[in-house]
Amino acid sequence: MNVFGLHTKPLQHKRFSSYHFLRLVEENGDVGFWSCELSADEITSSVGLHRILGLPPSFPLSYQKLVGLMHPADRPQHKHMDQVVRAGQPFAREFRIVRPDQTVRWILIKAEAILDREGSPVRAVGLVLDVTARREAQHAIMQSEGRFDAILGALGAIVWTTAADGRAQPSKSWQDLTGQSAIETEGEGWLDAVHPDDREHTRAAFRAAVANRTICSADYRVRTPNDGYIWLHARGAPVWGPDGTLLHWIGICLKRSEYRPGGFAHERSLIATDVILTAAQVRGARGILTWSVQELASRAGVSVSTIRRLEANESSVVRRNSKFAVRTTLEEAGVEFGLSPDGRPSLFVR
């Protein structure tokens, strides 16, 4: 047989020892092997198993001694594993052990029963894996998620996710806020809870972000079962896989009245009256931020033509909601709008 230019002989022409294979596996991983005659308590075990248990190779091992190594909190649930295998059933269990040096390790033990000619279990064989690293990684993830959830809870944030193509997925926090059901939020159904005057620029902002695979930012009012409409600030970002594939989107919504000076009354007064936003202010703010017309339009969730109208001093034909979205986007980027000493509209940078 020729493999990659090398001449090899069929496997059956050589005599291989299963002992050497098992030793090779043990030396290259945290694994040990064992067998037990069910008529006796004594366990025949490999060196790898003793290493996992923290015992010297010459230490005689029995089922009761293995139970004695179990963590006290895990012992009640797992101390009767032998009854399962004596009934002829295989099992796989994970539990902690406390080594003689008082270090704690997580192990996975697997076992199968060997039956005699009459079908009665006479022997058990199995393996033990040290799964401490995996368990510790899971614990670290759970701790991280717990801290993340605590922070979001403290902020009163609404968490949302969408598929890679932008289709919304059910969000319990959104459902709790709006009263929508999971089915009602699917696709673009969540927009039904957004104020009609804010729906267009909100939809445009998110569609532009999905199309360009950029961060999404939008401000809008949302209907709640008890409080009428409240203002939200939403931000979302794409999540990428190791190979550069877009996996999904994740974002949060914050109630604006909880962190913006002036709160909801400030937002309502701006949207209820004409928003002061001059052509010079828009051009100047873009220059300070080094944003293109397209970037400002995408961030504000408005059309490119809207920005061009504002910069051409055609503010009167631009809807209040669109002007509000542009001004809010610039403010969030660090631009402050105000009046110069002679009373003319001006802008500053924080």
Side-chain angles (χ1 to χ4, degrees), residues 30-305:
D30 294 323
V31 60
F33 303 92
W34 61 272
S35 66
C36 177
E37 298 294 333
L38 297 181
S39 59
D41 183 37
E42 187 173 330
I43 293 177
T44 302
S45 55
S46 67
V47 173
L49 178 56
H50 282 76
R51 183 169 56 246
I52 292 173
L53 300 179
L55 300 172
S58 60
F59 187 87
L61 191 61
S62 67
Y63 180 75
Q64 290 305 319
K65 290 177 181 177
L66 176 61
V67 171
L69 290 173
M70 286 184 188
H71 192 286
D74 299 339
R75 196 172 299 161
Q77 182 180 358
H78 299 290
K79 68 179 182 179
H80 298 302
M81 294 183 299
D82 63 324
Q83 296 181 6
V84 178
V85 76
R86 289 180 186 277
Q89 300 297 319
F91 70 78
R93 300 285 184 92
E94 283 190 23
F95 53 85
R96 290 165 293 178
I97 60 168
V98 182
R99 289 171 165 177
D101 62 2
Q102 299 305 302
T103 58
V104 177
R105 308 292 294 180
W106 277 95
I107 66 171
L108 165 63
I109 181 169
K110 293 187 175 184
E112 289 192 359
I114 296 177
L115 310 180
D116 61 15
R117 293 182 179 180
E118 286 72 34
S120 300
V122 294
R123 190 180 183 193
V125 295
L127 59 83
V128 173
L129 299 170
D130 188 326
V131 294
T132 306
R134 172 170 62 79
R135 280 284 187 162
E136 289 178 345
Q138 290 174 341
H139 181 66
I141 292 173
M142 291 177 63
Q143 281 190 318
S144 177
E145 291 177 345
R147 288 193 293 267
F148 178 69
D149 291 342
I151 292 172
L152 293 178
L155 292 173
I158 296 92
V159 182
W160 53 267
T161 60
T162 77
D165 60 3
R167 288 180 294 106
Q169 297 172 333
S171 163
K172 186 178 185 304
S173 53
W174 178 270
Q175 295 167 40
D176 291 342
L177 176 70
T178 64
Q180 286 186 303
S181 67
I183 295 177
E184 289 173 331
T185 63
E186 290 181 353
E188 290 192 339
W190 61 276
L191 283 165
D192 293 339
V194 174
H195 193 288
D197 290 344
D198 303 336
R199 204 168 290 163
E200 181 181 349
H201 78 78
T202 302
R203 178 187 288 109
F206 188 65
R207 286 184 175 179
V210 172
N212 298 318
R213 297 187 171 189
T214 57
I215 290 176
C216 173
S217 178
D219 293 272
Y220 51 84
R221 288 164 291 179
V222 66
R223 183 184 64 247
T224 66
N226 301 320
D227 302 324
Y229 284 96
I230 62 172
W231 277 97
L232 294 181
H233 172 64
R235 291 186 68 84
V239 178
W240 305 94
D243 60 352
T245 302
L246 177 58
L247 302 178
H248 55 267
W249 292 74
I250 185 169
I252 63 172
C253 296
L254 293 171
K255 298 176 184 179
R256 297 206 62 144
S257 57
E258 292 183 355
Y259 78 95
R260 184 177 178 89
F264 178 66
H266 171 72
E267 308 287 7
R268 183 172 55 194
S269 64
L270 276 178
I271 203 70
T273 60
D274 195 18
V275 180
I276 299 175
L277 192 63
T278 68
Q281 285 177 322
V282 178
R283 288 195 300 268
R286 276 205 309 107
I288 292 171
L289 299 171
T290 66
W291 287 357
S292 66
V293 171
Q294 290 78 9
E295 184 172 4
L296 175 55
S298 174
R299 288 173 178 267
V302 300
S303 65
V304 171
S305 60

